[in-house]
Amino acid sequence: MNRTPRTDIPPVLVTGATGRLGRLVVGRLLDAGVPVRALVRRREVAATLPPEAEVFTGDLTVPASIAPALTGAAAVLLVWTAPPGTAEAVVARLAGQVRRVVLLSSPHRTPHPFFQQPNPVAALHARLEGLLAAAVPETAIIRPGMLASNALLWWAPAIRSGGTVRWPYGAARSAPVDDRDVAAVAARVLGQEGHAGGDHVLTGPEPLTQAAQVAALGEVLGRPIAYEEMPPDEFRELSRGTAPAPVADMLLAAWRASLGHPAHVTTAVADLLGTPPRTFRQWAADHAAAFGPEPPPGG
């Protein structure tokens, strides 16, 4: 595919460009011919980005450092993974240099028990949304629900080793959204006029319990995968060192609160893209190799 960026339109800046979603947004924009600036904290990680992306180094904890990347940009995808202390200063920088900001947020305003558990991430997102609404002429919010790719982080090690997937709250339902669909929506909203004020909760089309998601992975892989309920306290203990304690507590609270409730499902992906969102099984089939058996030692 020819990814030569157009020269008659200004670039879009993607923060968090090497993250799960940021990297995909960079690719979607380039596929559409949109010039892309990728903001990274360390220059060495730029090797993982497409060569057509223009790389800028900067850090949201040092607001002045992002000024060169903003100069002449048409829009910004704001993916906030920094401490919250510089949020106001960063938004002031954005407001002074660009008209359009798309914030990758969370569905913390959605009236569903899964999304209504208080947590620091939701509080930060709410603060960013308020700052942007007051300062930036054109703001849109993208709120993905559970990402399908969480299955890689959570269950792939056990599946690759041929063991049992042990996980808490197997009966909790969600509608996992394919990361590629989230990226496609972000690229559409970033690259087109007419999306100011948009507030989009993105989900997949199919409500599934966590245990059903594991079973779907087994169907795609052609082998049954045993599932066993894990006590919440064990999940907290195993999460130490891999996830902050508030994140583990947030997930447990959300899963627990959602028990007995249908999953929240939206049509936002189809409404914005004109094509149906991918199912969890489609995502699993496209990523089946990542769940394959562990290579033999020395292999």
Side-chain angles (χ1 to χ4, degrees), residues 110-155:
T110 300
H112 185 282
F114 188 86
F115 302 117
Q116 285 301 305
Q117 307 313 304
N119 64 83
V121 174
L124 173 59
H125 284 159
R127 181 183 173 204
L128 286 168
E129 291 163 23
L131 291 171
L132 289 168
V136 178
E138 300 177 15
T139 300
I141 312 297
I142 294 176
R143 306 181 188 275
M146 277 294 181
L147 296 173
S149 64
N150 286 338
L152 286 170
L153 303 176
W154 294 343
W155 306 322

mmCIF file of all heavy atoms in Angstrom, residues 110-155:
data_model
loop_
_atom_site.group_PDB
_atom_site.id
_atom_site.type_symbol
_atom_site.label_atom_id
_atom_site.label_comp_id
_atom_site.label_asym_id
_atom_site.label_seq_id
_atom_site.Cartn_x
_atom_site.Cartn_y
_atom_site.Cartn_z
ATOM 1 N N THR A 110 -21.074 6.335 31.372
ATOM 2 C CA THR A 110 -22.090 5.392 30.905
ATOM 3 C C THR A 110 -22.836 4.803 32.104
ATOM 4 O O THR A 110 -22.210 4.259 33.019
ATOM 5 C CB THR A 110 -21.425 4.266 30.096
ATOM 6 O OG1 THR A 110 -20.749 4.852 28.977
ATOM 7 C CG2 THR A 110 -22.457 3.278 29.589
ATOM 8 N N PRO A 111 -24.174 4.896 32.122
ATOM 9 C CA PRO A 111 -24.946 4.405 33.277
ATOM 10 C C PRO A 111 -25.087 2.891 33.283
ATOM 11 O O PRO A 111 -26.163 2.338 33.100
ATOM 12 C CB PRO A 111 -26.306 5.097 33.094
ATOM 13 C CG PRO A 111 -26.431 5.280 31.616
ATOM 14 C CD PRO A 111 -25.033 5.542 31.113
ATOM 15 N N HIS A 112 -23.966 2.215 33.465
ATOM 16 C CA HIS A 112 -23.950 0.755 33.545
ATOM 17 C C HIS A 112 -23.032 0.392 34.702
ATOM 18 O O HIS A 112 -21.964 1.005 34.872
ATOM 19 C CB HIS A 112 -23.432 0.151 32.241
ATOM 20 C CG HIS A 112 -23.502 -1.345 32.191
ATOM 21 N ND1 HIS A 112 -22.592 -2.144 32.836
ATOM 22 C CD2 HIS A 112 -24.366 -2.190 31.578
ATOM 23 C CE1 HIS A 112 -22.885 -3.414 32.617
ATOM 24 N NE2 HIS A 112 -23.959 -3.468 31.869
ATOM 25 N N PRO A 113 -23.398 -0.595 35.523
ATOM 26 C CA PRO A 113 -22.570 -0.912 36.702
ATOM 27 C C PRO A 113 -21.108 -1.187 36.367
ATOM 28 O O PRO A 113 -20.215 -0.881 37.179
ATOM 29 C CB PRO A 113 -23.255 -2.153 37.295
ATOM 30 C CG PRO A 113 -24.666 -2.070 36.824
ATOM 31 C CD PRO A 113 -24.606 -1.442 35.462
ATOM 32 N N PHE A 114 -20.848 -1.758 35.202
ATOM 33 C CA PHE A 114 -19.471 -2.082 34.840
ATOM 34 C C PHE A 114 -18.590 -0.833 34.810
ATOM 35 O O PHE A 114 -17.411 -0.884 35.150
ATOM 36 C CB PHE A 114 -19.456 -2.759 33.466
ATOM 37 C CG PHE A 114 -18.115 -3.309 33.064
ATOM 38 C CD1 PHE A 114 -17.733 -4.580 33.447
ATOM 39 C CD2 PHE A 114 -17.228 -2.560 32.305
ATOM 40 C CE1 PHE A 114 -16.495 -5.090 33.094
ATOM 41 C CE2 PHE A 114 -15.997 -3.056 31.938
ATOM 42 C CZ PHE A 114 -15.636 -4.328 32.331
ATOM 43 N N PHE A 115 -19.173 0.309 34.395
ATOM 44 C CA PHE A 115 -18.376 1.518 34.189
ATOM 45 C C PHE A 115 -18.513 2.536 35.306
ATOM 46 O O PHE A 115 -17.917 3.605 35.228
ATOM 47 C CB PHE A 115 -18.783 2.187 32.866
ATOM 48 C CG PHE A 115 -18.633 1.303 31.667
ATOM 49 C CD1 PHE A 115 -19.730 0.932 30.916
ATOM 50 C CD2 PHE A 115 -17.386 0.834 31.284
ATOM 51 C CE1 PHE A 115 -19.603 0.120 29.804
ATOM 52 C CE2 PHE A 115 -17.241 0.010 30.180
ATOM 53 C CZ PHE A 115 -18.352 -0.348 29.438
ATOM 54 N N GLN A 116 -19.290 2.222 36.335
ATOM 55 C CA GLN A 116 -19.593 3.224 37.351
ATOM 56 C C GLN A 116 -18.811 3.050 38.648
ATOM 57 O O GLN A 116 -19.157 3.669 39.653
ATOM 58 C CB GLN A 116 -21.094 3.213 37.642
ATOM 59 C CG GLN A 116 -21.926 3.855 36.545
ATOM 60 C CD GLN A 116 -21.532 5.297 36.304
ATOM 61 O OE1 GLN A 116 -21.530 6.120 37.212
ATOM 62 N NE2 GLN A 116 -21.152 5.602 35.073
ATOM 63 N N GLN A 117 -17.764 2.245 38.629
ATOM 64 C CA GLN A 117 -16.973 2.058 39.848
ATOM 65 C C GLN A 117 -15.921 3.168 39.949
ATOM 66 O O GLN A 117 -15.128 3.357 39.029
ATOM 67 C CB GLN A 117 -16.290 0.686 39.832
ATOM 68 C CG GLN A 117 -17.252 -0.461 39.575
ATOM 69 C CD GLN A 117 -18.494 -0.381 40.427
ATOM 70 O OE1 GLN A 117 -18.403 -0.325 41.648
ATOM 71 N NE2 GLN A 117 -19.660 -0.371 39.790
ATOM 72 N N PRO A 118 -15.914 3.938 41.049
ATOM 73 C CA PRO A 118 -14.946 5.037 41.184
ATOM 74 C C PRO A 118 -13.517 4.523 41.083
ATOM 75 O O PRO A 118 -13.170 3.486 41.665
ATOM 76 C CB PRO A 118 -15.237 5.592 42.581
ATOM 77 C CG PRO A 118 -16.619 5.132 42.894
ATOM 78 C CD PRO A 118 -16.780 3.795 42.224
ATOM 79 N N ASN A 119 -12.694 5.240 40.342
ATOM 80 C CA ASN A 119 -11.290 4.869 40.230
ATOM 81 C C ASN A 119 -10.495 6.074 39.757
ATOM 82 O O ASN A 119 -11.050 7.002 39.144
ATOM 83 C CB ASN A 119 -11.110 3.669 39.288
ATOM 84 C CG ASN A 119 -11.505 3.979 37.865
ATOM 85 O OD1 ASN A 119 -10.716 4.536 37.107
ATOM 86 N ND2 ASN A 119 -12.733 3.636 37.473
ATOM 87 N N PRO A 120 -9.174 6.098 40.002
ATOM 88 C CA PRO A 120 -8.367 7.262 39.652
ATOM 89 C C PRO A 120 -8.325 7.545 38.151
ATOM 90 O O PRO A 120 -8.220 8.706 37.745
ATOM 91 C CB PRO A 120 -6.967 6.893 40.183
ATOM 92 C CG PRO A 120 -7.201 5.844 41.209
ATOM 93 C CD PRO A 120 -8.399 5.091 40.763
ATOM 94 N N VAL A 121 -8.383 6.510 37.318
ATOM 95 C CA VAL A 121 -8.336 6.722 35.869
ATOM 96 C C VAL A 121 -9.569 7.489 35.405
ATOM 97 O O VAL A 121 -9.477 8.446 34.622
ATOM 98 C CB VAL A 121 -8.216 5.377 35.126
ATOM 99 C CG1 VAL A 121 -8.307 5.584 33.620
ATOM 100 C CG2 VAL A 121 -6.898 4.694 35.479
ATOM 101 N N ALA A 122 -10.741 7.079 35.891
ATOM 102 C CA ALA A 122 -11.973 7.781 35.530
ATOM 103 C C ALA A 122 -11.937 9.231 35.994
ATOM 104 O O ALA A 122 -12.374 10.143 35.277
ATOM 105 C CB ALA A 122 -13.177 7.060 36.123
ATOM 106 N N ALA A 123 -11.404 9.470 37.184
ATOM 107 C CA ALA A 123 -11.317 10.838 37.698
ATOM 108 C C ALA A 123 -10.403 11.686 36.822
ATOM 109 O O ALA A 123 -10.714 12.854 36.523
ATOM 110 C CB ALA A 123 -10.817 10.819 39.143
ATOM 111 N N LEU A 124 -9.279 11.126 36.389
ATOM 112 C CA LEU A 124 -8.374 11.861 35.513
ATOM 113 C C LEU A 124 -9.034 12.150 34.171
ATOM 114 O O LEU A 124 -8.936 13.261 33.637
ATOM 115 C CB LEU A 124 -7.083 11.061 35.304
ATOM 116 C CG LEU A 124 -6.106 11.621 34.265
ATOM 117 C CD1 LEU A 124 -5.670 13.026 34.633
ATOM 118 C CD2 LEU A 124 -4.895 10.700 34.118
ATOM 119 N N HIS A 125 -9.712 11.155 33.609
ATOM 120 C CA HIS A 125 -10.382 11.367 32.330
ATOM 121 C C HIS A 125 -11.436 12.465 32.442
ATOM 122 O O HIS A 125 -11.563 13.313 31.550
ATOM 123 C CB HIS A 125 -11.019 10.061 31.857
ATOM 124 C CG HIS A 125 -10.030 9.087 31.315
ATOM 125 N ND1 HIS A 125 -10.292 7.737 31.223
ATOM 126 C CD2 HIS A 125 -8.782 9.252 30.833
ATOM 127 C CE1 HIS A 125 -9.242 7.127 30.715
ATOM 128 N NE2 HIS A 125 -8.312 8.014 30.471
ATOM 129 N N ALA A 126 -12.200 12.457 33.525
ATOM 130 C CA ALA A 126 -13.220 13.494 33.711
ATOM 131 C C ALA A 126 -12.582 14.879 33.780
ATOM 132 O O ALA A 126 -13.109 15.857 33.223
ATOM 133 C CB ALA A 126 -14.030 13.209 34.971
ATOM 134 N N ARG A 127 -11.455 14.960 34.457
ATOM 135 C CA ARG A 127 -10.765 16.255 34.561
ATOM 136 C C ARG A 127 -10.272 16.713 33.198
ATOM 137 O O ARG A 127 -10.444 17.882 32.818
ATOM 138 C CB ARG A 127 -9.596 16.128 35.531
ATOM 139 C CG ARG A 127 -8.834 17.427 35.726
ATOM 140 C CD ARG A 127 -7.652 17.243 36.637
ATOM 141 N NE ARG A 127 -6.822 18.440 36.691
ATOM 142 C CZ ARG A 127 -5.541 18.440 37.006
ATOM 143 N NH1 ARG A 127 -4.945 17.290 37.327
ATOM 144 N NH2 ARG A 127 -4.850 19.557 37.029
ATOM 145 N N LEU A 128 -9.665 15.814 32.432
ATOM 146 C CA LEU A 128 -9.182 16.172 31.100
ATOM 147 C C LEU A 128 -10.329 16.619 30.198
ATOM 148 O O LEU A 128 -10.201 17.588 29.443
ATOM 149 C CB LEU A 128 -8.452 14.979 30.474
ATOM 150 C CG LEU A 128 -7.069 14.652 31.029
ATOM 151 C CD1 LEU A 128 -6.608 13.283 30.538
ATOM 152 C CD2 LEU A 128 -6.060 15.729 30.622
ATOM 153 N N GLU A 129 -11.445 15.914 30.282
ATOM 154 C CA GLU A 129 -12.591 16.274 29.442
ATOM 155 C C GLU A 129 -13.078 17.688 29.746
ATOM 156 O O GLU A 129 -13.398 18.462 28.843
ATOM 157 C CB GLU A 129 -13.707 15.260 29.642
ATOM 158 C CG GLU A 129 -13.387 13.890 29.068
ATOM 159 C CD GLU A 129 -14.301 12.805 29.613
ATOM 160 O OE1 GLU A 129 -15.422 13.134 30.070
ATOM 161 O OE2 GLU A 129 -13.897 11.625 29.594
ATOM 162 N N GLY A 130 -13.134 18.032 31.029
ATOM 163 C CA GLY A 130 -13.566 19.368 31.401
ATOM 164 C C GLY A 130 -12.604 20.440 30.935
ATOM 165 O O GLY A 130 -13.021 21.491 30.432
ATOM 166 N N LEU A 131 -11.305 20.175 31.090
ATOM 167 C CA LEU A 131 -10.302 21.147 30.652
ATOM 168 C C LEU A 131 -10.367 21.363 29.139
ATOM 169 O O LEU A 131 -10.312 22.503 28.661
ATOM 170 C CB LEU A 131 -8.904 20.659 31.045
ATOM 171 C CG LEU A 131 -8.566 20.647 32.537
ATOM 172 C CD1 LEU A 131 -7.238 19.932 32.782
ATOM 173 C CD2 LEU A 131 -8.513 22.077 33.093
ATOM 174 N N LEU A 132 -10.494 20.279 28.399
ATOM 175 C CA LEU A 132 -10.541 20.396 26.935
ATOM 176 C C LEU A 132 -11.798 21.118 26.474
ATOM 177 O O LEU A 132 -11.754 21.977 25.579
ATOM 178 C CB LEU A 132 -10.469 19.006 26.302
ATOM 179 C CG LEU A 132 -9.116 18.298 26.389
ATOM 180 C CD1 LEU A 132 -9.253 16.830 25.995
ATOM 181 C CD2 LEU A 132 -8.089 18.986 25.486
ATOM 182 N N ALA A 133 -12.944 20.786 27.066
ATOM 183 C CA ALA A 133 -14.198 21.412 26.657
ATOM 184 C C ALA A 133 -14.162 22.916 26.862
ATOM 185 O O ALA A 133 -14.758 23.683 26.083
ATOM 186 C CB ALA A 133 -15.363 20.798 27.432
ATOM 187 N N ALA A 134 -13.444 23.367 27.883
ATOM 188 C CA ALA A 134 -13.393 24.791 28.191
ATOM 189 C C ALA A 134 -12.364 25.547 27.364
ATOM 190 O O ALA A 134 -12.436 26.784 27.274
ATOM 191 C CB ALA A 134 -13.092 24.980 29.680
ATOM 192 N N ALA A 135 -11.417 24.829 26.751
ATOM 193 C CA ALA A 135 -10.285 25.527 26.145
ATOM 194 C C ALA A 135 -10.106 25.293 24.646
ATOM 195 O O ALA A 135 -9.616 26.180 23.938
ATOM 196 C CB ALA A 135 -8.992 25.121 26.869
ATOM 197 N N VAL A 136 -10.468 24.113 24.152
ATOM 198 C CA VAL A 136 -10.172 23.758 22.760
ATOM 199 C C VAL A 136 -11.433 23.912 21.916
ATOM 200 O O VAL A 136 -12.496 23.407 22.294
ATOM 201 C CB VAL A 136 -9.639 22.312 22.676
ATOM 202 C CG1 VAL A 136 -9.384 21.912 21.235
ATOM 203 C CG2 VAL A 136 -8.352 22.186 23.495
ATOM 204 N N PRO A 137 -11.347 24.599 20.775
ATOM 205 C CA PRO A 137 -12.554 24.843 19.972
ATOM 206 C C PRO A 137 -13.287 23.583 19.532
ATOM 207 O O PRO A 137 -14.513 23.547 19.547
ATOM 208 C CB PRO A 137 -12.016 25.616 18.755
ATOM 209 C CG PRO A 137 -10.746 26.240 19.233
ATOM 210 C CD PRO A 137 -10.167 25.288 20.229
ATOM 211 N N GLU A 138 -12.555 22.550 19.130
ATOM 212 C CA GLU A 138 -13.186 21.327 18.641
ATOM 213 C C GLU A 138 -12.628 20.137 19.422
ATOM 214 O O GLU A 138 -11.473 19.761 19.242
ATOM 215 C CB GLU A 138 -12.914 21.130 17.146
ATOM 216 C CG GLU A 138 -13.433 22.251 16.259
ATOM 217 C CD GLU A 138 -13.078 22.037 14.804
ATOM 218 O OE1 GLU A 138 -12.687 20.905 14.435
ATOM 219 O OE2 GLU A 138 -13.181 23.006 14.027
ATOM 220 N N THR A 139 -13.465 19.578 20.270
ATOM 221 C CA THR A 139 -13.059 18.422 21.071
ATOM 222 C C THR A 139 -14.014 17.271 20.825
ATOM 223 O O THR A 139 -15.228 17.463 20.729
ATOM 224 C CB THR A 139 -13.076 18.756 22.585
ATOM 225 O OG1 THR A 139 -12.181 19.833 22.838
ATOM 226 C CG2 THR A 139 -12.643 17.557 23.406
ATOM 227 N N ALA A 140 -13.476 16.065 20.697
ATOM 228 C CA ALA A 140 -14.280 14.849 20.609
ATOM 229 C C ALA A 140 -13.707 13.826 21.575
ATOM 230 O O ALA A 140 -12.493 13.799 21.820
ATOM 231 C CB ALA A 140 -14.293 14.293 19.185
ATOM 232 N N ILE A 141 -14.572 13.005 22.121
ATOM 233 C CA ILE A 141 -14.174 12.011 23.113
ATOM 234 C C ILE A 141 -14.453 10.619 22.556
ATOM 235 O O ILE A 141 -15.542 10.348 22.049
ATOM 236 C CB ILE A 141 -14.945 12.172 24.439
ATOM 237 C CG1 ILE A 141 -14.936 13.633 24.906
ATOM 238 C CG2 ILE A 141 -14.361 11.251 25.505
ATOM 239 C CD1 ILE A 141 -13.573 14.189 25.221
ATOM 240 N N ILE A 142 -13.457 9.746 22.656
ATOM 241 C CA ILE A 142 -13.620 8.341 22.285
ATOM 242 C C ILE A 142 -13.476 7.508 23.550
ATOM 243 O O ILE A 142 -12.485 7.631 24.277
ATOM 244 C CB ILE A 142 -12.577 7.934 21.231
ATOM 245 C CG1 ILE A 142 -12.832 8.682 19.930
ATOM 246 C CG2 ILE A 142 -12.617 6.431 20.982
ATOM 247 C CD1 ILE A 142 -11.790 8.415 18.876
ATOM 248 N N ARG A 143 -14.482 6.657 23.789
ATOM 249 C CA ARG A 143 -14.523 5.898 25.035
ATOM 250 C C ARG A 143 -14.621 4.400 24.736
ATOM 251 O O ARG A 143 -15.726 3.842 24.688
ATOM 252 C CB ARG A 143 -15.738 6.334 25.854
ATOM 253 C CG ARG A 143 -15.843 7.830 26.117
ATOM 254 C CD ARG A 143 -17.085 8.130 26.954
ATOM 255 N NE ARG A 143 -17.339 9.544 27.087
ATOM 256 C CZ ARG A 143 -16.775 10.330 28.013
ATOM 257 N NH1 ARG A 143 -15.919 9.813 28.867
ATOM 258 N NH2 ARG A 143 -17.066 11.611 28.070
ATOM 259 N N PRO A 144 -13.501 3.732 24.531
ATOM 260 C CA PRO A 144 -13.580 2.278 24.331
ATOM 261 C C PRO A 144 -13.983 1.564 25.611
ATOM 262 O O PRO A 144 -13.567 1.951 26.709
ATOM 263 C CB PRO A 144 -12.151 1.891 23.925
ATOM 264 C CG PRO A 144 -11.417 3.178 23.710
ATOM 265 C CD PRO A 144 -12.128 4.226 24.466
ATOM 266 N N GLY A 145 -14.795 0.516 25.456
ATOM 267 C CA GLY A 145 -15.033 -0.388 26.572
ATOM 268 C C GLY A 145 -13.853 -1.338 26.693
ATOM 269 O O GLY A 145 -12.710 -0.979 26.394
ATOM 270 N N MET A 146 -14.108 -2.553 27.117
ATOM 271 C CA MET A 146 -13.027 -3.530 27.223
ATOM 272 C C MET A 146 -12.445 -3.820 25.836
ATOM 273 O O MET A 146 -13.184 -4.051 24.876
ATOM 274 C CB MET A 146 -13.549 -4.829 27.836
ATOM 275 C CG MET A 146 -13.608 -4.807 29.347
ATOM 276 S SD MET A 146 -11.947 -4.707 30.067
ATOM 277 C CE MET A 146 -12.367 -4.725 31.816
ATOM 278 N N LEU A 147 -11.121 -3.799 25.739
ATOM 279 C CA LEU A 147 -10.456 -4.089 24.478
ATOM 280 C C LEU A 147 -10.287 -5.595 24.300
ATOM 281 O O LEU A 147 -9.943 -6.314 25.243
ATOM 282 C CB LEU A 147 -9.079 -3.421 24.438
ATOM 283 C CG LEU A 147 -9.059 -1.894 24.463
ATOM 284 C CD1 LEU A 147 -7.623 -1.399 24.586
ATOM 285 C CD2 LEU A 147 -9.710 -1.315 23.216
ATOM 286 N N ALA A 148 -10.501 -6.052 23.075
ATOM 287 C CA ALA A 148 -10.308 -7.472 22.791
ATOM 288 C C ALA A 148 -8.874 -7.904 23.088
ATOM 289 O O ALA A 148 -8.631 -9.030 23.537
ATOM 290 C CB ALA A 148 -10.665 -7.764 21.329
ATOM 291 N N SER A 149 -7.920 -7.005 22.868
ATOM 292 C CA SER A 149 -6.513 -7.363 23.064
ATOM 293 C C SER A 149 -6.151 -7.610 24.514
ATOM 294 O O SER A 149 -5.049 -8.106 24.798
ATOM 295 C CB SER A 149 -5.605 -6.273 22.480
ATOM 296 O OG SER A 149 -5.789 -5.053 23.174
ATOM 297 N N ASN A 150 -7.043 -7.282 25.455
ATOM 298 C CA ASN A 150 -6.772 -7.645 26.851
ATOM 299 C C ASN A 150 -6.567 -9.145 26.996
ATOM 300 O O ASN A 150 -5.867 -9.600 27.911
ATOM 301 C CB ASN A 150 -7.926 -7.197 27.745
ATOM 302 C CG ASN A 150 -7.939 -5.697 27.972
ATOM 303 O OD1 ASN A 150 -6.918 -5.028 27.831
ATOM 304 N ND2 ASN A 150 -9.098 -5.163 28.309
ATOM 305 N N ALA A 151 -7.183 -9.918 26.106
ATOM 306 C CA ALA A 151 -7.027 -11.372 26.169
ATOM 307 C C ALA A 151 -5.570 -11.783 26.043
ATOM 308 O O ALA A 151 -5.138 -12.790 26.625
ATOM 309 C CB ALA A 151 -7.858 -12.034 25.068
ATOM 310 N N LEU A 152 -4.793 -11.018 25.281
ATOM 311 C CA LEU A 152 -3.363 -11.325 25.143
ATOM 312 C C LEU A 152 -2.640 -11.113 26.464
ATOM 313 O O LEU A 152 -1.795 -11.915 26.859
ATOM 314 C CB LEU A 152 -2.739 -10.447 24.057
ATOM 315 C CG LEU A 152 -3.059 -10.798 22.613
ATOM 316 C CD1 LEU A 152 -2.562 -9.694 21.683
ATOM 317 C CD2 LEU A 152 -2.427 -12.125 22.243
ATOM 318 N N LEU A 153 -2.963 -10.020 27.141
ATOM 319 C CA LEU A 153 -2.291 -9.712 28.400
ATOM 320 C C LEU A 153 -2.720 -10.662 29.508
ATOM 321 O O LEU A 153 -1.915 -11.048 30.353
ATOM 322 C CB LEU A 153 -2.605 -8.270 28.802
ATOM 323 C CG LEU A 153 -2.239 -7.165 27.805
ATOM 324 C CD1 LEU A 153 -2.703 -5.815 28.315
ATOM 325 C CD2 LEU A 153 -0.736 -7.143 27.562
ATOM 326 N N TRP A 154 -3.990 -11.039 29.497
ATOM 327 C CA TRP A 154 -4.549 -11.780 30.623
ATOM 328 C C TRP A 154 -4.401 -13.290 30.484
ATOM 329 O O TRP A 154 -4.088 -13.972 31.455
ATOM 330 C CB TRP A 154 -6.032 -11.434 30.773
ATOM 331 C CG TRP A 154 -6.305 -10.021 31.162
ATOM 332 C CD1 TRP A 154 -5.417 -9.127 31.706
ATOM 333 C CD2 TRP A 154 -7.552 -9.317 31.051
ATOM 334 N NE1 TRP A 154 -6.026 -7.922 31.933
ATOM 335 C CE2 TRP A 154 -7.336 -8.001 31.550
ATOM 336 C CE3 TRP A 154 -8.820 -9.672 30.587
ATOM 337 C CZ2 TRP A 154 -8.356 -7.050 31.584
ATOM 338 C CZ3 TRP A 154 -9.829 -8.719 30.629
ATOM 339 C CH2 TRP A 154 -9.598 -7.436 31.124
ATOM 340 N N TRP A 155 -4.669 -13.823 29.300
ATOM 341 C CA TRP A 155 -4.848 -15.268 29.172
ATOM 342 C C TRP A 155 -3.846 -15.961 28.262
ATOM 343 O O TRP A 155 -3.738 -17.187 28.308
ATOM 344 C CB TRP A 155 -6.267 -15.563 28.668
ATOM 345 C CG TRP A 155 -7.327 -14.930 29.502
ATOM 346 C CD1 TRP A 155 -7.318 -14.808 30.871
ATOM 347 C CD2 TRP A 155 -8.548 -14.336 29.063
ATOM 348 N NE1 TRP A 155 -8.452 -14.166 31.301
ATOM 349 C CE2 TRP A 155 -9.245 -13.869 30.214
ATOM 350 C CE3 TRP A 155 -9.146 -14.161 27.804
ATOM 351 C CZ2 TRP A 155 -10.478 -13.228 30.125
ATOM 352 C CZ3 TRP A 155 -10.379 -13.530 27.729
ATOM 353 C CH2 TRP A 155 -11.025 -13.072 28.877
#
